[in-house]
Amino acid sequence: MQNRFRKIVESSGPYLGLIFLTIALTILTGGEVIAPGNIKLVLEQSIILIFASTGLIFVMTMGMLDLSVGANICICCYMVAKVCQVNIPLGILTALLTGILVGFLNGVLTGRYKIMSFLVTLCTRYIINGLMVPLIAKEAVTVPFALYSYDNFGFKITVLILLVGAAGCLYMFTPFGNRVRMIGSNELGASYSGVNVRQVKIGCYMICGAFGAVAAFFTAIRTGTAALNTGSDMMFNALIALVMGGFPARGGAKARFSSCVVGGLVLSILTNGLTLLEMDATLQQFLKGGIFLLIIVLVSEKKRSGGGRLRLRLRTES
Amino acid sequence: MLARFEHMKKYFGATRAVDDISVEIGAGEIRAIVGENGSGKSTLLSMIAGILEPDGGEMFLDGQAYRPSSQAEANRLGVSMIVQEISTLPGLTVAENIMLGREREYTVFGIRNLRQLNRMVKEKLERAGLMEIQPDRDAAAYSLEQRKLIELVRAADVEPKILMVDETTTALSQTGREELYKLMRNTKARGSSVLFISHDLKEVLSVCDSVTVMRDGVLIDTVPTEGMTEEGLKNMMVGRELSGHYYREDYGTPISDEVVLEVKDLNCPGRFQNVNFQLHRGEILGFGGLSEAGMHEAARAVYGMEYDVSGDVVINGEKMHSVKDRLAKKVGYISKNRDMESLFNQASIRDNICITCFDKLAPKGVVTRRRMTRFAKEQAGLLQVKMRDTGQPAGTLSGGNKQKVALSKWLACDTEIFIMDSPTRGIDVGVKAVIYGLMEELKNSGKSMIIVSEELLELIGMADRILIFKNGEISGEIERNKDLTEEHLVQRMI
Ligand SMILES: Nc1ncnc2c1ncn2[C@@H]1O[C@H](COP(=O)(O)OP(=O)(O)OP(=O)(O)O)[C@@H](O)[C@H]1O
Ligand SMILES: [Mg+2]
C-alpha cells in the first residue's frame, strides 16, 4: 500500500509540483499569476523553452549533454534575422540547416570520435560564440518587419503542438526512440544488440540542433533582434526544465517524454511568478540553481530508501 | 555450530524472495544451497553478506548476534561473498580491487605506498597460481574468468569464517574450478564454513557435505550429500518428477554440405591465431578449452566485436565488414558478460527482449507499448522467465532469469546463426532441459549455432563437432560420438 502511494507520488511528482507552484504563486502575487492575460504570457514564454528542452531530451536520454543549446540558438537567430531580410522562407530554412549542422558536428564528435559530450559541446559553444562576435560586432541585428506577422499566439501554439507532438511520437512509438533509451541504459549492451550507436547519437544531436533552430526562430520574432547574448541562458533553463519535469538526471530507460512539456511549464510559471514578485534576475538564477540541486538530491535520496538495491548495484553493476 | 540464521525474510513488493527461512551451519562444513532460478538463494546469501538488509529474522555468528550494516562490516566480522555477477571495479587496478576497504594496510603517514601494495598483492596472486595477472593493471583489462579469479583471491585473503560462493563455477574453466575447490577445502580445513550455490548437481554432490534445498523462497529440507542422488535432488528442487530427456540423443545424423559461415585466418595479437573453420547449415559447433585459450575472444571476433582482428568472416558467400552486416545476415551473439554486454538492467524486460526485433514489431516504423508487451510476454513465457510482469526492470531478476532474457532476445528475432557464449550460465536444470530441447528444434529447422562453453557435458551432449582451443589456436577437432567423455576432452585441452 505504502509502496503504491510512493509510486504515485514518484510518477506524478512534476504535476503535483506544477499545481503546488501555481497555487503558491497565486497566493503570493494576490492572484496576478492566474489572470487571463498573464496565463497567455506564461504560455508564450514557455513555448521557446519547451522547444529547446524537447530537443535536449533526446540527447539527455542517452546520458549525454548539450551545452551548446544557447549558442546554437544565438547563431540560428542571427541567420533568421539576416537572411529573412532577403526572403523569409529562405531565412527559416537557413536557420534550420544551421541548427542541424551544429547538431551534426556535435554528434560526429561524440559518436564517431567518442569524445565526452560535455567537452565537445562546451567547445562548440565557445566556437560559435567566437564566430558571433565579429558577425554582430557593432550592434544587434534587427529582425525584418515582415516577420512580426508570425508573432501570433495561435500560430505559435499550432507549431508547438505539431512539432512537439511529432517529436513525442518519435520518442515513444518508434524503434528509434526505444534505441535512444536503451543507449542511455547500457551503451555497450546496445551495440552488442545490434544498435548502431553512432548513428543514433548523431541523429539525436541533429534533432536537438533542429529544435534549437525552431526555438531561435521564435526568439527572433519575440525579441526582434539577434544579439550576442541571445539564448545565453537557454542552456541552463532547458536543463532545469527537464529536471523539474521529472527527468532522471542520468537519462536512461526511465526517462519520460512528458518531462520536457511539464518542465517547461513549471519553469515558466516560476520565472513569471518571481518576476511579478519583482525578484532580481540574478537572485532568480540563484534560486533556480538551488532548486535544481535540491531536486537532484531528493531524487537520488528516494532511490536509496527503496531498499538495499543501490548497495547491491554498486557491487554488481560497475 | 558456527552460525545460525532464524526466520530470515526479504520481500520485494509482492515478491516474497525469502520467506521465513531458518538454517544452521556447522564449523568446517561445506553447505550447498540449491533451488530453481528465482527461488531466493542469492537473496538469502546477500542478506548474510550485508549487501541486502533483511526485512525480518535474526542472525548469529559464533553464538553472538550478527547484524552487519554493510558488506565492509560483514567482511570485518569474517563473512565474505563472491557474488553471482562481476564485482571487480573497472578503473581500479587489480591490487586496489583485492585490497578494497583495507587501504590502511598499505598506507604510511596518510600516503598510499603503491610499491608495497603491488608487492603484497603479487605474492597473493602467485600463491593462488595466477602468475599471469599483473597487480598494477586495470582490472577491466582482464577477461571475465580472470576477474572472477581476482574476486576469489580477494575473498580468500580475509580468511573468512563464512565464505559464500554464488554461482561462480559456470564462469570458470576446469583449471579455475580447481582453484575454487582448493580455496573451499582450505576454508574447511581451517574450521570455517562455506555456503555454495550451484546449479551443477554433480558438482554439489562431489564437493559439498550437505545440501539445503529452497523453492519459491521457502526452505524444503537440508540433507547430507552422502547417499543422495542427482535425481533425488532434482525432484526436491522442482517438487515433481522430471522427464529424463536432457541432451540430444541422436548420433551420426548427416549434416548438410551447405556452408553458412566460414572463418579464414582470423588473428588477434595476444588472444588467438590462425583460426579457420566452417559452420554448416543446421550444425551445432562447440568451442571448448581452458582459460585463456582464446575461444571466447574468437567467438566475439566472429561477431565483429573484437578489436585488432585480421582475417575474414564470410557468411553465405559474402564478406563481413561490420556488426551491421552480420545483423543483416541474422547473426545473434549472446555474451558471457551479461550485465555489461547483453542486458539493460534499468530497462524493463519488455524493452530488453524487443530491442532486436523492431523489424518484426514495427514494419511501418511505429510500435505501441501494447504490442511490445504482448510480444515480450510470449517470448519470456517460452523460456519460463520468472517475473512479475514484462515491465519489471531486468536488473531485479535473479541471475538465471537474466540469462533467460538475454537468450530470448535473440531467439525472438528469428536468428539464423547463433553465437552463444556460455548459453546456460546460471540456469537451473529444469529450464536447461527446455533450452536444450529448443536448440535441437532450431537445429532441425536449419539454424546453425556456435556454442562456446565451459560445461564439457554440454558440449559433448549438444555439439555435432567440438573445436578444441589451446593457447589461442585450434588444436583439434572432435566429431560427435557416443563414447566421448569429459576426461577425454580435458586431456585434449591440456
Ligand atoms: N531488487 C529486486 N526487486 C524486485 N525483485 C527482486 C529483486 N531482487 C530479487 N528479486 C526477486 O526475488 C526472487 C529471488 O531472487 P534471487 O536472485 O534470490 O534468486 P536465485 O535463487 O538466486 O536465482 P538464480 O538461480 O537464478 O540466481 C526473484 O523472483 C527475483 O525476481
Ligand atoms: Mg542467484
Side-chain angles (χ1 to χ4, degrees):
Chain A
M1 204 53 222
Q2 207 183 350
N3 235 323
R4 181 171 297 171
F5 177 72
R6 170 181 287 153
K7 220 171 217 173
I8 292 172
V9 171
E10 224 166 284
S11 62
S12 54
Y15 298 97
L16 295 178
L18 182 61
I19 295 168
F20 173 78
L21 199 66
T22 317
I23 294 174
L25 287 174
T26 308
I27 295 169
L28 283 175
T29 58
E32 255 183 279
V33 165
I34 52 166
N38 191 55
I39 287 186
K40 194 175 155 203
L41 188 71
V42 170
L43 283 178
E44 246 184 81
Q45 281 169 343
S46 70
I47 286 173
I48 296 172
L49 189 56
I50 291 177
F51 275 126
S53 43
T54 301
L56 193 60
I57 201 169
F58 282 87
V59 170
M60 297 240 331
T61 303
M62 296 189 298
M64 305 174 82
L65 270 178
D66 188 351
L67 301 179
S68 65
V69 171
N72 185 21
I73 289 180
C74 182
I75 192 169
C76 292
C77 204
Y78 171 79
M79 291 297 171
V80 170
K82 215 46 183 189
V83 185
C84 280
Q85 286 167 0
V86 185
N87 179 316
I88 291 180
L90 187 68
I92 296 174
L93 193 70
T94 319
L96 209 54
L97 288 179
T98 311
I100 292 176
L101 182 71
V102 171
F104 180 74
L105 281 179
N106 283 334
V108 168
L109 287 170
T110 51
R112 169 89 175 76
Y113 296 100
K114 305 211 160 75
I115 310 172
M116 274 159 68
S117 64
F118 130 81
L119 287 178
V120 168
T121 54
L122 190 67
C123 293
T124 38
R125 174 196 160 162
Y126 280 106
I127 291 173
I128 295 173
N129 280 345
L131 275 178
M132 295 316 290
V133 174
L135 287 179
I136 317 182
K138 302 226 170 55
E139 54 187 321
V141 183
T142 24
V143 168
F145 213 66
L147 263 186
Y148 288 116
S149 61
Y150 292 101
D151 193 8
N152 146 334
F153 190 64
F155 171 74
K156 286 184 189 172
I157 287 287
T158 318
V159 175
L160 182 81
I161 290 173
L162 283 180
L163 289 183
V164 176
C169 286
L170 184 66
Y171 192 90
M172 289 184 283
F173 302 124
T174 66
F176 177 81
N178 234 291
R179 289 183 182 132
V180 173
R181 257 172 292 145
M182 300 309 259
I183 289 177
S185 154
N186 177 359
E187 190 178 320
L188 191 64
S191 62
Y192 272 90
S193 304
V195 174
N196 192 333
V197 176
R198 187 197 302 177
Q199 228 169 45
V200 175
K201 276 186 183 170
I202 294 176
C204 285
Y205 272 106
M206 281 164 72
I207 293 172
C208 187
F211 271 92
V214 177
F217 175 74
F218 288 104
T219 308
I221 56 180
R222 217 182 121 69
T223 56
T225 55
L228 273 179
N229 64 353
T230 302
S232 58
D233 53 357
M234 206 37 114
M235 171 204 94
F236 188 50
N237 282 345
L239 197 69
I240 311 182
L242 280 183
V243 169
M244 283 184 169
F247 191 84
R250 289 233 205 123
K254 295 215 176 83
R256 283 175 183 259
F257 185 76
S258 59
S259 302
C260 57
V261 181
V262 181
L265 286 175
V266 173
L267 186 57
S268 300
I269 290 185
L270 183 68
T271 313
N272 176 272
L274 293 180
T275 315
L276 286 181
L277 289 173
E278 290 172 0
M279 187 185 269
D280 181 62
T282 332
L283 205 57
Q284 281 192 26
Q285 292 290 354
F286 177 82
L287 194 70
K288 285 179 199 163
I291 293 175
F292 178 79
L293 284 180
L294 189 72
I295 295 176
I296 302 259
V297 171
L298 281 181
V299 170
S300 60
E301 200 63 45
K302 221 178 254 169
K303 255 190 210 152
R304 199 166 306 151
S305 61
R309 197 62 206 167
L310 191 76
R311 275 201 274 167
L312 190 67
R313 279 271 170 73
L314 282 174
R315 304 288 310 155
T316 60
E317 244 181 18
S318 43
Chain B
M1 193 60 46
L2 181 75
R4 214 164 71 226
F5 310 103
E6 289 178 352
H7 306 293
M8 302 298 294
K9 293 189 186 79
K10 183 75 197 178
Y11 303 151
F12 297 106
T15 313
R16 302 188 156 207
V18 171
D19 196 6
D20 201 359
I21 286 194
S22 303
V23 280
E24 297 182 338
I25 83 166
E29 183 179 352
I30 301 187
R31 166 78 57 85
I33 311 231
V34 300
E36 288 179 285
N37 292 136
S39 55
K41 305 179 294 294
S42 300
T43 309
L44 178 65
L45 263 55
S46 301
M47 289 192 285
I48 298 173
I51 299 171
L52 283 175
E53 205 179 319
D55 288 339
E58 281 181 277
M59 301 191 267
F60 300 91
L61 184 66
D62 279 334
Q64 291 181 343
Y66 161 75
R67 272 187 228 100
S69 62
S70 69
Q71 197 172 11
E73 193 184 336
N75 266 329
R76 266 200 305 282
L77 294 171
V79 177
S80 71
M81 176 165 173
I82 302 172
V83 297
Q84 194 164 11
E85 312 296 344
I86 300 178
S87 73
T88 41
L89 302 175
L92 295 187
T93 65
V94 171
E96 283 167 333
N97 262 296
I98 288 178
M99 298 299 289
L100 206 63
R102 293 189 287 152
E103 286 75 16
R104 205 179 290 166
E105 290 179 32
Y106 59 92
T107 304
V108 189
F109 298 122
I111 295 170
R112 298 188 319 150
N113 185 344
L114 291 182
R115 279 251 304 279
Q116 187 193 340
L117 167 72
N118 289 335
R119 208 173 46 232
M120 246 159 59
V121 171
K122 181 102 198 142
E123 252 169 53
K124 294 179 205 294
L125 288 167
E126 272 167 13
R127 233 178 299 140
L130 302 171
M131 318 295 175
E132 72 280 5
I133 296 180
Q134 304 293 330
D136 53 352
R137 275 189 73 189
D138 187 344
Y142 290 99
S143 72
L144 188 133
E145 161 154 29
Q146 285 168 316
R147 288 170 71 175
K148 269 287 166 220
L149 292 172
I150 292 170
E151 283 171 42
L152 218 84
V153 173
R154 177 169 72 194
D157 199 44
V158 297
E159 303 218 327
K161 288 184 200 154
I162 303 184
L163 171 70
M164 295 187 280
V165 183
D166 189 354
E167 184 51 47
T168 297
T169 33
T170 42
L172 303 176
S173 70
Q174 303 301 312
T175 39
R177 285 177 199 194
E178 284 309 319
E179 278 306 317
L180 176 63
Y181 299 149
K182 201 169 89 197
L183 167 63
M184 287 164 58
R185 278 196 301 270
N186 287 346
T187 311
K188 180 186 163 86
R190 269 205 328 269
S192 304
S193 316
V194 180
L195 284 172
F196 182 68
I197 297 182
S198 171
H199 287 293
D200 183 345
L201 301 179
K202 199 172 147 205
E203 171 186 71
V204 163
L205 291 178
S206 70
V207 299
C208 301
D209 302 317
S210 54
V211 195
T212 293
V213 182
M214 289 175 66
R215 193 195 304 152
D216 289 329
V218 299
L219 185 83
I220 300 299
D221 204 358
T222 299
V223 292
T225 47
E226 233 174 71
M228 198 66 204
T229 62
E230 279 183 56
E231 286 307 309
L233 269 184
K234 253 185 236 177
N235 295 341
M236 275 170 86
M237 272 166 62
V238 286
R240 64 192 135 77
E241 293 282 322
L242 280 175
S243 67
H245 187 80
Y246 204 53
Y247 297 123
R248 278 166 66 190
E249 278 156 3
D250 61 304
Y251 289 92
T253 347
I255 302 287
S256 146
D257 285 336
E258 188 185 336
V259 174
V260 287
L261 183 147
E262 182 168 13
V263 169
K264 292 182 204 159
D265 292 323
L266 215 58
N267 274 291
C268 178
R271 300 200 183 264
F272 55 83
Q273 313 94 42
N274 307 326
V275 173
N276 284 287
F277 65 86
Q278 292 183 331
L279 177 70
H280 297 257
R281 191 179 167 76
E283 182 181 39
I284 302 182
L285 184 64
F287 281 11
L290 298 180
S291 41
E292 308 323 300
M295 56 178 185
H296 302 288
E297 291 80 7
R300 193 201 306 269
V302 174
Y303 188 58
M305 270 294 187
E306 193 78 31
Y307 295 105
D308 257 356
V309 176
S310 61
D312 292 340
V313 176
V314 179
I315 297 177
N316 295 337
E318 266 176 60
K319 206 178 140 190
M320 297 290 115
H321 298 284
S322 62
V323 178
K324 206 170 145 204
D325 290 352
R326 286 155 173 101
L327 286 167
K329 296 282 181 198
K330 297 218 151 290
V331 179
Y333 174 77
I334 295 153
S335 169
K336 184 175 180 182
N337 189 354
R338 62 180 166 234
D339 264 11
M340 302 283 290
E341 293 171 357
S342 50
L343 279 188
F344 304 88
N345 274 328
Q346 325 158 6
S348 62
I349 295 167
R350 173 182 51 232
D351 284 344
N352 268 284
I353 293 179
C354 293
I355 179 101
T356 51
C357 306
F358 286 122
D359 284 350
K360 205 152 95 180
L361 284 168
K364 295 202 184 74
V366 184
V367 61
T368 60
R369 177 173 282 206
R370 255 224 344 261
R371 181 119 158 245
M372 284 170 64
T373 304
R374 195 158 29 134
F375 182 77
K377 210 164 158 180
E378 218 174 87
Q379 295 298 331
L382 224 53
L383 291 185
Q384 306 171 4
V385 177
K386 190 176 167 193
M387 56 183 185
R388 272 199 307 274
D389 52 56
T390 56
Q392 186 181 348
T396 65
L397 286 173
S398 81
N401 285 303
K402 280 188 193 170
Q403 182 70 17
K404 293 182 206 168
V405 170
L407 275 175
S408 89
K409 178 166 78 179
W410 291 109
L411 287 172
C413 66
D414 306 323
T415 304
E416 288 289 330
I417 302 172
F418 290 89
I419 303 171
M420 309 200 239
D421 199 340
S422 313
T424 57
R425 182 159 89 86
I427 289 183
D428 68 39
V429 276
V431 180
K432 253 188 191 168
V434 174
I435 290 174
Y436 293 140
L438 220 61
M439 283 183 183
E440 206 173 330
E441 248 171 66
L442 288 170
K443 170 190 159 63
N444 290 338
S445 64
K447 319 272 193 229
S448 317
M449 270 168 249
I450 294 176
I451 300 181
V452 186
S453 182
E454 319 280 9
E455 300 295 307
L456 303 183
L457 283 177
E458 181 170 284
L459 291 176
I460 295 171
M462 295 307 296
D464 290 299
R465 221 160 24 114
I466 303 172
L467 300 182
I468 305 285
F469 278 74
K470 200 160 124 185
N471 300 330
E473 291 192 30
I474 299 180
S475 70
E477 185 178 319
I478 303 175
E479 291 285 329
R480 177 177 182 77
N481 73 67
K482 248 198 182 93
D483 308 318
L484 200 58
T485 61
E486 272 185 283
E487 287 72 34
H488 185 93
L489 264 184
V490 173
Q491 253 165 35
R492 296 284 297 265
M493 289 173 181
I494 295 171

